[in-house]
Amino acid sequence: VPSEFDTDTAVTPTEDGHYAASFSAGWNIGDKPNGGYVLATAVRAMHTELLAATHGAHSDPFTVTAHYLRPCEPGPVDITVELIRVGRLMATIQASVAQGGKERVRSLATFGNFDAITGPTTVTATPPDLPSPDVCLERPPFGEGNTSLPNIQARLVTRLHPTTGWVVGRPSGHASVSGWLGFADGRAPDTLALPLFADAFAPAVFELLANSAWVPTVELTVHVRARPAPGLLASRFATTNLIDGLLDEEGELWDSTGRLVAQSRQLAMLISAP
Amino acid sequence: VPSEFDTDTAVTPTEDGHYAASFSAGWNIGDKPNGGYVLATAVRAMHTELLAATHGAHSDPFTVTAHYLRPCEPGPVDITVELIRVGRLMATIQASVAQGGKERVRSLATFGNFDAITGPTTVTATPPDLPSPDVCLERPPFGEGNTSLPNIQARLVTRLHPTTGWVVGRPSGHASVSGWLGFADGRAPDTLALPLFADAFAPAVFELLANSAWVPTVELTVHVRARPAPGLLASRFATTNLIDGLLDEEGELWDSTGRLVAQSRQLAMLISAP
């Protein structure tokens, strides 16, 4: 049985450089598909194009950037890809995600192959210290008075560290959150899924301002650093600088063997809830 | 008198969506133009295109990403820009930098205007603690046995913190460096110059491995957070995770009033010197 993630990010080649996809409402936050899910679908199209062009030589997305132009909607999607350069170690490719004739997301990515790179390793970041998932917290509904969970919650395992303050209405004042992430249907994470997980957690800035704001992403860059082992990912997200309503958010994803598998940074905009 | 930076990043519209420029050898590291200088020239072309399209409404590059496909050379450049979307608060645009008919750099940027955005501010990062520039260190020649400074050193003020170990052949083992940055001819920094400064410092990884390696950028993203005041910038760059020869480098640039003006992150590749 294919996983929900694989089914819902599937792409079908139409004409040269074009792929058809369909955004499932199952990955919505409110009535819009989650930005990480949208990016993962674009990454799938770029991966498929590269697979054909390079016979699988460049199968891991090393660095992926997306600029979010307009919100997406559930339903049909046209993804245009442009293969920019294929080198020996890396290949660069672009994707444009359109719906109803309007471009929604522009993405630029460089792929490589973790089997093909060698060199020294010195990791100084450390994984978050998380208690077991069953004592961590579920994400509560978004916004005051709202009781329904976003659809995406049914597709994902997200368990926040039990000290996460905003969940119980007491933001810590320190814009850092951590917790577990995975697919609800048990699909193992891989390098194609990491761009989704880099944008699937509740915003760290909720620890400053409670969950009263909408925080749309302007730009998201994900560096995939290794292929994850099966199991839940341990994650940490932090906002360091909120300036005039614009904010950065840095993320780290660690696999079940304690290996750093992705680093992310986004620029987002704070918009007060209506 | 126009500054060296303004002269050497000047762009001239040719046909629709195309700009001519010329990379000066004055910004070389070795025999190749510095990646930050190349990006700043692309940003100039995008800025010029947007100035015409939006009458100056979106004049600050909020977030800029570049994928480095091939090294550039001093000499003529053709920059193709594509205006992707102009919104009320932000506009997204792409630039492709080509020389000799070959694309060298692909860049994607979202511009806005710092006068037009409002919202809360909470900055938790702190500026580096730097002694005055005259007691800081000049960057020494690159590589063992090499005695010539890169050309770019004559265009920039770069003063490393006096404790920087690799400069005196004793890398600290902790991949973090700090120091002052500015233009040698006294030009004040602005939001168009920050992408250059985000890639103009010696790699932080030299504190792990000495200056024995070449560290070409795969991808660089710069978040410009505010317009800098005149004066030297205080900077801090750190590599957190070197994995199989691929490394991240995070940067911060602070203006002379102690304000955070840019955050950067790049993915780079370690290549041993010949």
Side-chain angles (χ1 to χ4, degrees), chain A residues 60-64 90-93 108-112, chain B residues 67 69 218-219:
Chain A
D60 297 305
F62 282 0
T63 169
V64 180
M90 296 186 199
T92 302
I93 186 167
L108 198 51
T110 292
F111 284 67
Chain B
H67 285 245
L69 311 169
V218 175
E219 177 266 331

Side-chain angles (χ1 to χ4, degrees), chain B residues 180-229:
Chain B
W180 299 101
L181 272 169
F183 287 113
D185 66 4
R187 181 195 189 279
D190 60 13
T191 58
L192 298 186
L194 294 175
L196 161 69
F197 290 119
D199 193 42
F201 219 64
V205 77
F206 281 3
E207 284 291 20
L208 276 185
L209 303 160
N211 63 338
S212 58
W214 179 49
V215 192
T217 304
V218 175
E219 177 266 331
L220 168 65
T221 295
V222 182
H223 291 174
V224 173
R225 306 302 306 267
R227 290 187 194 141

Side-chain angles (χ1 to χ4, degrees), chain A residues 8-102:
Chain A
D8 293 343
T9 59
V11 297
T12 309
T14 52
E15 48 183 317
D16 252 21
H18 285 263
Y19 292 85
S22 181
F23 289 140
S24 157
W27 303 85
N28 277 9
I29 294 187
D31 60 352
K32 307 292 183 200
N34 163 263
Y37 165 58
V38 168
L39 178 55
T41 308
V43 167
R44 177 81 68 183
M46 295 189 276
H47 179 258
T48 305
E49 182 80 5
L50 272 174
L51 212 58
T54 72
H55 307 287
H58 302 308
S59 53
D60 297 305
F62 282 0
T63 169
V64 180
T65 288
H67 285 244
Y68 293 87
L69 311 169
R70 299 177 176 90
C72 291
E73 310 288 341
V77 187
D78 178 43
I79 304 176
T80 309
V81 299
E82 180 198 350
L83 195 50
I84 298 171
R85 183 185 186 233
V86 176
R88 190 179 58 85
L89 275 179
M90 296 186 199
T92 302
I93 186 167
Q94 178 177 288
S96 160
V97 175
Q99 292 188 293
K102 281 197 171 165

Side-chain angles (χ1 to χ4, degrees), chain A residues 139-213:
Chain A
R139 179 177 175 164
F142 171 86
E144 212 148 325
N146 191 353
T147 54
S148 63
L149 281 168
N151 290 0
I152 194 174
Q153 290 298 94
R155 291 281 200 272
L156 296 177
V157 175
T158 57
R159 293 285 183 282
L160 292 88
H161 193 287
T163 60
T164 309
W166 72 264
V167 174
V168 290
R170 288 190 298 274
S172 70
H174 178 64
S176 180
V177 292
S178 61
W180 299 101
L181 272 169
F183 288 113
D185 66 5
R187 182 195 188 278
D190 59 14
T191 58
L192 297 185
L194 294 175
L196 161 69
F197 290 118
D199 193 42
F201 219 63
V205 77
F206 282 3
E207 284 290 17
L208 275 185
L209 304 159
N211 64 339
S212 59

Side-chain angles (χ1 to χ4, degrees), chain A residues 63 67 69 82 85 94 106 110 118 120-124 219 223 225 240-242 244-246 248 264-265, chain B residues 63 67 69 82 85 94 106 110 118 120-124 219 223 225 240-242 244-246 264-265:
Chain A
T63 169
H67 285 244
L69 311 169
E82 180 198 350
R85 183 185 186 233
Q94 178 177 288
R106 177 72 62 104
T110 292
T118 54
T121 295
T122 305
V123 173
T124 57
E219 177 265 332
H223 291 176
R225 304 303 306 269
T240 311
N241 305 298
L242 168 65
D244 296 336
L246 282 170
D248 60 292
S264 66
R265 177 179 276 174
Chain B
T63 167
H67 285 245
L69 311 169
E82 180 198 348
R85 183 184 187 233
Q94 179 176 288
R106 178 70 65 102
T110 293
T118 54
T121 295
T122 304
V123 173
T124 58
E219 177 266 331
H223 291 174
R225 306 302 306 267
T240 311
N241 305 297
L242 167 66
D244 296 336
L246 283 169
S264 66
R265 176 178 277 175

